[in-house]
């Protein structure tokens, strides 16, 4: 889908950058729903003027922010649930109450533990910082190693014999985990750890085969 490349005033607008885990989650949800949208670039780590202008859309200074007509929204959890409910296309949330609770639990695990530790504690510390000539914070990496192990054990248990995290259909739980794990897998140590988990490996193969995953890869 290349709809984001040309500005269409009636399309939903997504503000952010393709390197962002959270922007990618929303883009994957939009892709899975078949919703054309405009991606408007905001590099939140760039000059302060960009960030300052963005504060009107997101007072906490994060990406993504989303607009559909005159409806403005921020926070990925709210945006993805809105996208799922406001547009046609395959449902991205289970109808069954318990499966939906499980999906929300996995999203919370992703937000609370996987993003800060696997993306920031492992990927940023071990890959990004050395690239910038900075030294990794070994205390932070050590903590992240422990959380990585717990995360993989927990996700293996939750996936069990299912095709996707919450059953036989792709849900927001899968879309949350994918961009985070994609960054963590750039860390050789995490890659080795991940290889010990065969069922998660099978899930990852299915995940990386999705067009929504392939078409939203960050620009190198
Ligand atoms: N709770 C927010 C988190 C979004 C978030 O942390 N985005 C990152 C990029 S992946 C960001 O904007 N970071 C900028 C910063 O922390 O200064 C959401 O769910 O949308």
């Amino acid at each position: 889908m290349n709809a984001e490349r040309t500005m269409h005033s009636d399309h939903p607008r997504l503000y952010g950058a393709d390197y962002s885990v959270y922007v990618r989650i929303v883009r994957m949800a939009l892709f899975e729903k078949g919703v054309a949208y405009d991606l408007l670039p905001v590099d939140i780590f760039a000059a302060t003027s960009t960030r300052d202008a963005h504060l009107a859309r997101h007072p906490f200074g994060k990406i993504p922010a989303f607009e559909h007509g005159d409806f403005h929204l921020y926070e990925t959890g709210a945006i993805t649930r809105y996208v799922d409910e406001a547009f046609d296309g395959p449902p991205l949330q289970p109808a069954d109450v318990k499966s939906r609770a499980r999906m929300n639990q996995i999203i919370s695990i992703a937000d609370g533990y996987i993003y800060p530790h696997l993306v920031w504690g492992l990927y940023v510390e071990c890959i990004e910082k050395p690239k910038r000539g900075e030294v990794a914070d070994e205390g932070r990496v050590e903590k992240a190693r422990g959380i990585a192990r717990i995360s993989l054990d927990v996700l293996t248990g939750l996936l069990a014999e299912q095709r996707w995290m919450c059953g036989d259909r792709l849900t927001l739980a899968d879309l949350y985990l994918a961009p985070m794990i994609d960054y963590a897998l750039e860390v050789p140590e995490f890659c080795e750890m991940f290889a010990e988990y065969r069922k998660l490996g099978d899930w990852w193969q299915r995940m990386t085969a999705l067009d929504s995953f392939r078409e939203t890869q960050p620009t190198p």
Side-chain angles (χ1 to χ4, degrees), residues 117-132 134-138 140-142 144-145 183-184 186-190:
H117 294 287
L118 275 62
V119 177
W120 284 91
L122 284 182
Y123 171 74
V124 174
E125 290 297 331
C126 301
I127 305 291
E128 283 292 325
K129 274 190 164 182
K131 264 193 215 161
R132 297 196 296 254
E134 293 171 30
V135 179
D137 175 343
E138 195 38 52
R140 196 166 181 192
V141 174
E142 186 55 33
R145 275 189 196 110
Y183 269 123
E186 290 196 33
V187 181
E189 183 183 342
F190 180 77

Side-chain angles (χ1 to χ4, degrees), residues 1 8-9 27 57 61 76 86 93 129 139 184 198-199 208:
M1 178 180 299
H8 294 279
S9 56
R27 294 180 72 204
R57 288 178 220 108
T76 302
Q93 301 174 87
K129 274 190 164 182
R198 193 183 48 78
K199 283 178 192 155
T208 53

Side-chain angles (χ1 to χ4, degrees), residues 24-213:
R24 190 173 182 194
I25 295 166
V26 176
R27 294 180 72 204
M28 288 181 71
L30 287 160
F31 194 108
E32 290 294 335
K33 296 296 281 187
V35 179
Y37 61 99
D38 295 317
L39 179 63
L40 300 154
V42 174
D43 182 357
I44 207 67
F45 297 110
T48 37
S49 57
T50 317
R51 190 187 171 91
D52 290 351
H54 185 64
L55 289 178
R57 288 178 220 108
H58 197 315
F60 297 93
K62 306 267 184 196
I63 49 173
F66 177 84
E67 296 172 357
H68 184 207
D70 58 5
F71 183 57
H72 296 193
L73 199 57
Y74 58 86
E75 288 302 300
T76 302
I79 300 168
T80 48
R81 287 169 178 90
Y82 174 79
V83 165
D84 187 36
E85 290 162 25
F87 296 96
D88 292 337
L92 297 174
Q93 301 174 87
D96 163 66
V97 174
K98 287 183 180 156
S99 303
R100 203 158 62 247
R102 191 64 78 203
M103 178 196 78
N104 288 327
Q105 181 189 26
I106 294 171
I107 290 174
S108 208
I109 290 170
D111 277 334
Y113 313 112
I114 296 183
Y115 180 66
H117 294 287
L118 275 62
V119 177
W120 284 91
L122 284 182
Y123 171 74
V124 174
E125 290 297 331
C126 301
I127 305 291
E128 283 292 325
K129 274 190 164 182
K131 264 193 215 161
R132 297 196 296 254
E134 293 171 30
V135 179
D137 175 343
E138 195 38 52
R140 196 166 181 192
V141 174
E142 186 55 33
K143 169 93 182 154
R145 275 189 196 110
I147 301 287
R149 179 61 74 188
I150 297 171
S151 303
L152 294 177
D153 287 344
V154 161
L155 292 178
T156 298
L158 292 171
L159 177 65
E161 303 303 324
Q162 305 178 116
R163 188 166 169 73
W164 300 106
M165 278 296 158
C166 298
D168 55 9
R169 300 188 75 132
L170 183 81
T171 69
L172 297 179
D174 304 286
L175 302 189
Y176 257 75
L177 293 173
M180 300 186 186
I181 290 182
D182 200 26
Y183 269 123
L185 283 171
E186 290 196 33
V187 181
E189 183 183 342
F190 180 77
C191 219
E192 279 169 32
M193 205 191 273
F194 193 77
E196 296 170 31
Y197 295 81
R198 193 183 48 78
K199 283 178 192 155
L200 279 182
D202 293 345
W203 166 81
W204 188 244
Q205 296 254 312
R206 289 190 279 277
M207 200 69 235
T208 53
L210 293 177
D211 286 342
S212 59
F213 181 88

